[in-house]
Amino acid sequence: MYVRPGSVALVTLAVSSLLLLSACDGDSGSDSGKKSGSSAKTADKGTPAAPESITAEQAKQALVEVKDLPTGWKAEPNTGLDKSQGADEDTISGVKPLCAPVAALLNTGRLDEDHKANAQAVFTKQGDQTTVAQDVSGYTRPQAEKAMAGLKAAVEQCGTFTGKQGGKPATLTVKKTVQQPKYGDDSVSYTLKVVQGDMQMDFDMGTVRSHGAITTVLNNYSDHGDRGKAAFTKALAKAGEKLTAAAAKTP
């Protein structure tokens, strides 16, 4: 298996009715102006600036749950896509810059390491060697737009390319698939095949951006048991929906 957030009182001395009216009119206008200015400052100070990205909690809220998948799936607690802290034998390296976004997703689940928030979830089909996994990462909107553009260029232009997995030669093939209904602000669906010696790993993948948040869902399947395509399709749709809700109040 590949898969290893008090009033002021106004006192006026009345000399005549004219003076009284004059004094009241003058003081009232002045007092009103002061209150208006004070209210404006309070409103300025009381309006919080929009967060530049989703929080860690919002990233978790964008994760798919077991109830979102068909029956027969279970969550794998304390398991993620990120292999950057070990498992070097699975890490993809040495690919050309254009194709680096694809390798980044396989290595960590994220397109950019300069993320502001992150959450991951992994699910397995009971009795099968099939995994559906998701990453949710928060960035500033310009970061996310740039990262998404880089991934789409890789999917459309890389085709078959080479790299190393655990220091050994590997061949990767990425292919854009028929677009699902559009999710978020931008989305792309694709397949990925990794071949190293006599070992082959196959993936269905989908990546969605909403504002500055990005989620990637992958289906790592074998040639035995359920391919997991139905679960992947449902997970991607739900991930897009949840990501859009989580990122709604960010720039």
Side-chain angles (χ1 to χ4, degrees):
M1 186 178 300
Y2 187 70
V3 173
R4 298 273 192 247
S7 62
V8 177
L10 177 63
V11 180
T12 305
L13 296 178
V15 178
S16 68
S17 59
L18 181 61
L19 289 176
L20 177 60
L21 289 173
S22 175
C24 288
D25 286 345
D27 288 348
S28 175
S30 175
D31 190 50
S32 175
K34 290 177 182 178
K35 287 183 179 180
S36 175
S38 176
S39 297
K41 291 180 180 179
T42 301
D44 290 342
K45 293 180 179 179
T47 303
E52 67 173 4
S53 70
I54 59 172
T55 64
E57 183 58 33
Q58 288 169 324
K60 290 181 181 179
Q61 293 171 1
L63 289 176
V64 171
E65 302 174 79
V66 170
K67 67 181 181 181
D68 300 320
L69 304 177
T71 58
W73 290 81
K74 65 177 182 179
E76 295 292 341
N78 304 316
T79 304
L81 293 168
D82 191 350
K83 296 181 289 295
S84 62
Q85 301 303 315
D88 289 340
E89 68 274 12
D90 288 334
T91 301
I92 303 292
S93 63
V95 303
K96 56 186 178 181
L98 174 64
C99 308
V102 175
L105 289 177
L106 288 180
N107 291 338
T108 67
R110 299 181 294 271
L111 285 173
D112 191 333
E113 282 303 294
D114 186 22
H115 56 282
K116 317 304 178 187
N118 180 250
Q120 297 186 338
V122 176
F123 307 91
T124 56
K125 179 69 180 294
Q126 298 175 20
D128 290 324
Q129 295 180 340
T130 305
T131 299
V132 168
Q134 179 190 11
D135 175 273
V136 178
S137 297
Y139 310 96
T140 63
R141 187 160 187 158
Q143 273 183 289
E145 291 175 343
K146 180 179 179 180
M148 194 71 178
L151 173 63
K152 294 178 78 172
V155 170
E156 293 169 357
Q157 300 176 41
C158 282
T160 297
F161 57 102
T162 59
K164 291 185 177 181
Q165 186 175 36
K168 298 178 181 179
T171 300
L172 296 83
T173 300
V174 61
K175 183 179 180 180
K176 186 176 181 179
T177 58
V178 176
Q179 179 66 56
Q180 303 280 353
K182 182 180 177 181
Y183 304 121
D185 296 320
D186 200 1
S187 59
V188 60
S189 297
Y190 45 107
T191 60
L192 180 62
K193 178 172 67 176
V194 182
V195 177
Q196 183 196 74
D198 59 357
M199 180 179 68
Q200 177 174 316
M201 293 169 288
D202 296 283
F203 304 85
D204 296 307
M205 302 185 73
T207 301
V208 179
R209 178 186 67 81
S210 181
H211 296 245
I214 294 176
T215 186
T216 293
V217 177
L218 67 79
N219 171 38
N220 179 200
Y221 61 93
S222 69
D223 54 1
H224 301 291
D226 180 13
R227 175 176 170 175
K229 190 64 179 288
F232 167 75
T233 301
K234 290 189 71 172
L236 183 58
K238 196 65 177 180
E241 176 187 322
K242 288 190 170 186
L243 188 76
T244 299
K249 294 184 179 180
T250 58

